Amino acid sequence: FLMSETIDFIPSSIFYIMINLVDIYTSLVGQEHREKFGQFFTNREVADFMVKWVLSGNDRALYDPAFGLGVFYDAALANKFQGEFKGTEIDSQILSFFFQQENSGAIDVKNADYLSIWGETYSGIICNPPYMRFQKFHGRKQVFADFEKHLNIKLSGYTNIASAFLVKSINELSQGGRLAYIMPLEFLNTGYGTIIKRQLIAEGNLHAIVKIECEKDVFPDVTTSVGIILFEKNKTPNPIKFFVVRNLANIKNVLRDTPSTSLDVTQISPDQKWLRFFEYEKLTINSQKLNPISMYGAFSRGIATGANEFFVLNNEKISLTGLLPEEFVPCITKSSQIKTAIFTDSDFQRLADANESVFLLNINGSPSPGAQDYLKQGEKFGFHHRYLTKTRKPWYAIEKRTPAPLLFGVFSREGFKVIRNYSNTRNLTCYHGFQPNLFGINYIDHLFLYFLSSTGRYILTQNMRKYGDALDKFEPNDLNNALCPNIDFFPQIKNIDREVDYVREYGSISENLEDIFSTLIDAPA
């Protein structure tokens, strides 16, 4: 097999058997069991592509750290693989199910936790690791301690289990070996991903990353970006190539296509946001006119209650419980409650009058009789034992936040949400809130207008996290580190109040202001 040749697919009869195995297994164990082990099964075209790439560099042995139902094993057999196939699988139930269907003696799969096995090396690694975020990464404290002990690598506490698998496998790949992983690509744009990207490019061995934009055809139940990591350990550094697959029928030829980006290892940094390398159209940002948003203040996440069904109130609930006015505060609790770019006290009052849930329990000092009864009711339902509430003293204490003059939507599709907040409302985690420093207090409206502009949106998206199903996300530090005009640029904007009034009337900034902000971008690269 040569990379310049077309990759043929595995015979359909073999895949028919595999598809039936998946259907039977999922119907037997149920969703709860699959979620416990992060089980999402690899698409047949993807498995064949990954196996062929790994085997083209080494056909002596293969190792699968998360064996599952053996799709990579089946793909290897269909590609006439005659070497040694080993693997591990932490779930004894899925392993037992597999061996009830398979009687082949040419395979060695241990029922074990891959992250607890150390001291091994492999010449070919292929894997679809468990998909579990850091919150469900059980035993990660011990895992991270093992990474420090064996690899001298300190992982971030936000590292998900798939990324931990990848880092371990990279370090276990022998010289001349190849590795193929299919996994979430969110780490390419996150802070915790820096250490992972550093491992990928440390020796210039990252061959390519293939982003699968038709991710629902690969993992229908997963809302995350999906891609394939191709890593080859050799002494000659590779150019790093970024490819995009928009139709799975084209995956067999993707490495023959022109990459979105091709970079020498010296041109890429682990501190950069890598998702932008999948974009063909690139504009040059005039960095001399820009500085980080953190120069003007800081974004922080909204209030996390730990039990919105208890802490979030509407007028009817307040009346029934007998809470005093000083025991609750105005609060935006859902992104959809704000429809326009400018939000005022009058807008809030309309929501309150419509009995929307726009108040937040906020008891300071001794609770009134009505509040005492409400708290007892909450304890009856166990709200005081929730993950967040059980660590608070008292359990019903709410995080301290002041109303933010700028609100930024956390999740978005087809464009992020920016709000100029003139009201006295706080916000839950559906929005990040911007609090200006002493320097930035005079530039709140300037920043608001910039965030609304086409140029501002383009520049800010360079720091955006992209998930599957066209879902985008900002964390507070993604915004704090994003670029905005410096203090020398803003004087070009005249009549700020008039520009804000234009937004109030038309919902967008004026063409004249768009032209001013457009000078922050020089020209197509």
Side-chain angles (χ1 to χ4, degrees):
F1 171 78
L2 299 174
M3 289 312 300
S4 60
E5 297 176 348
T6 300
I7 300 176
D8 296 323
F9 284 156
I10 299 174
S12 59
S13 58
I14 291 178
F15 274 139
Y16 177 75
I17 296 171
M18 183 65 195
I19 290 170
N20 275 328
L21 281 184
V22 172
D23 290 343
I24 295 169
Y25 173 76
T26 54
S27 66
L28 286 174
V29 301
Q31 185 174 350
E32 185 176 345
H33 179 86
R34 288 178 53 209
E35 289 180 353
K36 177 182 177 182
F37 291 99
Q39 295 172 347
F40 298 91
F41 299 106
T42 313
N43 175 278
R44 58 192 185 187
E45 290 91 350
V46 170
D48 191 45
F49 168 78
M50 293 169 65
V51 164
K52 286 201 170 190
W53 188 81
V54 173
L55 290 181
S56 66
N58 164 41
D59 60 1
R60 300 187 308 275
L62 286 175
Y63 177 74
D64 184 350
F67 186 78
L69 288 174
V71 64
F72 295 123
Y73 173 66
D74 288 335
L77 293 182
N79 281 285
K80 299 181 173 56
F81 172 68
Q82 296 181 335
E84 183 181 43
F85 197 107
K86 292 185 176 182
T88 52
E89 173 54 56
I90 192 172
D91 178 15
S92 59
Q93 193 165 341
I94 197 172
L95 204 56
S96 174
F97 179 86
F98 171 80
F99 280 111
Q100 287 175 13
Q101 324 303 320
E102 285 275 352
N103 297 311
S104 173
I107 183 172
D108 178 12
V109 183
K110 291 182 170 58
N111 180 203
D113 179 1
Y114 171 63
L115 294 179
S116 68
I117 300 171
W118 295 93
E120 303 289 340
T121 58
Y122 308 99
S123 58
I125 301 176
I126 189 162
C127 187
N128 171 8
Y131 281 30
M132 286 186 286
R133 298 195 183 280
F134 74 95
Q135 297 97 328
K136 296 185 178 181
F137 190 165
H138 301 298
R140 58 181 173 165
K141 188 174 182 180
Q142 180 60 51
V143 169
F144 291 176
D146 288 341
F147 270 71
E148 283 200 68
K149 176 182 177 182
H150 297 283
L151 303 178
N152 197 28
I153 295 172
K154 188 171 183 178
L155 297 176
S156 162
Y158 293 100
T159 305
N160 60 37
I161 196 168
S163 298
F165 264 64
L166 175 63
V167 170
K168 186 170 185 285
S169 291
I170 288 170
N171 285 273
E172 293 174 343
L173 191 66
S174 59
Q175 191 66 37
R178 283 189 169 188
L179 172 152
Y181 256 66
I182 180 167
M183 59 184 290
L185 293 184
E186 62 186 70
F187 76 90
L188 298 181
N189 263 30
T190 63
Y192 78 79
T194 301
I195 185 65
I196 300 158
K197 290 178 283 185
R198 184 173 295 124
Q199 293 292 306
L200 285 171
I201 64 176
E203 299 178 33
N205 297 145
L206 177 57
H207 183 86
I209 303 180
V210 180
K211 184 171 184 282
I212 302 175
E213 292 205 338
C214 47
E215 70 281 339
K216 287 297 184 183
D217 293 335
V218 182
F219 299 116
D221 300 328
V222 174
T223 304
T224 184
S225 56
V226 174
I228 300 170
I229 312 292
L230 302 177
F231 184 91
E232 183 176 22
K233 195 166 188 178
N234 55 43
K235 295 180 180 179
T236 305
N238 299 310
I240 302 167
K241 298 176 181 179
F242 294 80
F243 296 93
V244 175
V245 172
R246 294 181 173 85
N247 187 323
L248 276 187
N250 300 328
I251 194 169
K252 59 182 178 179
N253 297 316
V254 65
L255 298 181
R256 298 172 57 190
D257 294 341
T258 301
S260 303
T261 305
S262 182
L263 298 169
D264 184 80
V265 69
T266 61
Q267 298 175 292
I268 192 169
S269 165
D271 297 317
Q272 292 174 296
K273 309 282 187 179
W274 284 15
L275 285 178
R276 64 190 177 94
F277 296 134
F278 295 105
E279 301 173 6
Y280 282 97
E281 180 183 7
K282 297 181 179 65
L283 301 176
T284 302
I285 298 172
N286 191 334
S287 58
Q288 293 182 344
K289 299 179 180 179
L290 299 163
N291 54 235
I293 291 172
S294 58
M295 177 179 177
Y296 298 101
F299 279 96
S300 60
R301 65 164 175 79
I303 297 169
T305 70
N308 284 0
E309 61 269 47
F310 176 78
F311 288 98
V312 172
L313 312 165
N314 56 19
N315 274 327
E316 182 180 4
K317 198 171 186 179
I318 290 169
S319 177
L320 289 172
T321 55
L323 294 170
L324 298 180
E326 59 269 23
E327 293 177 324
F328 55 89
V329 292
C331 185
I332 295 300
T333 62
K334 297 178 181 177
S335 175
S336 59
Q337 289 170 343
I338 302 182
K339 308 291 187 184
T340 58
I342 293 177
F343 188 76
T344 66
D345 284 323
S346 296
D347 296 318
F348 173 82
Q349 193 58 51
R350 279 191 287 271
L351 292 171
D353 291 344
N355 205 36
E356 290 277 344
S357 297
V358 288
F359 296 100
L360 185 66
L361 188 69
N362 185 39
I363 301 173
N364 294 306
S366 300
S368 67
Q372 290 178 29
D373 290 342
Y374 189 60
L375 293 174
K376 289 177 182 177
Q377 184 180 354
E379 291 172 355
K380 179 181 178 181
F381 286 99
F383 290 124
H384 59 314
H385 291 312
R386 293 284 184 91
Y387 178 76
L388 291 180
T389 57
K390 67 182 180 181
T391 63
R392 297 174 182 155
K393 293 183 180 180
W395 67 268
Y396 52 84
I398 289 295
E399 295 174 307
K400 302 299 181 184
R401 292 285 193 281
T402 56
L406 285 175
L407 300 176
F408 213 105
V410 176
F411 290 100
S412 62
R413 284 186 171 89
E414 300 181 356
F416 51 76
K417 200 169 180 179
V418 181
I419 310 297
R420 178 65 171 97
N421 180 27
Y422 289 104
S423 74
N424 190 38
T425 58
R426 293 157 176 77
N427 58 282
L428 296 191
T429 54
C430 50
Y431 287 103
H432 298 316
F434 178 79
Q435 292 292 351
N437 54 30
L438 290 176
F439 176 73
I441 198 165
N442 296 318
Y443 293 96
I444 295 172
D445 287 330
H446 296 73
L447 291 170
F448 169 62
L449 296 169
Y450 166 71
F451 293 155
L452 287 180
S453 71
S454 299
T455 299
R457 288 179 178 277
Y458 174 79
I459 293 174
L460 264 63
T461 54
Q462 307 309 303
N463 277 35
M464 179 182 283
R465 306 180 185 207
K466 292 185 176 292
Y467 295 83
D469 199 23
L471 183 65
D472 302 323
K473 182 184 181 183
F474 281 107
E475 292 289 357
N477 277 337
D478 297 336
L479 294 168
N480 293 332
N481 295 327
L483 297 176
C484 70
N486 60 32
I487 192 171
D488 295 326
F489 181 90
F490 278 143
Q492 298 179 58
I493 306 175
K494 310 297 183 184
N495 301 314
I496 286 290
D497 291 342
R498 187 184 302 170
E499 292 290 351
V500 172
D501 286 340
Y502 187 96
V503 174
R504 196 188 309 271
E505 184 172 356
Y506 297 104
S508 62
I509 67 172
S510 67
E511 290 185 18
N512 176 62
L513 196 51
E514 284 280 14
D515 290 341
I516 292 174
F517 283 126
S518 69
T519 62
L520 295 169
I521 296 178
D522 291 333

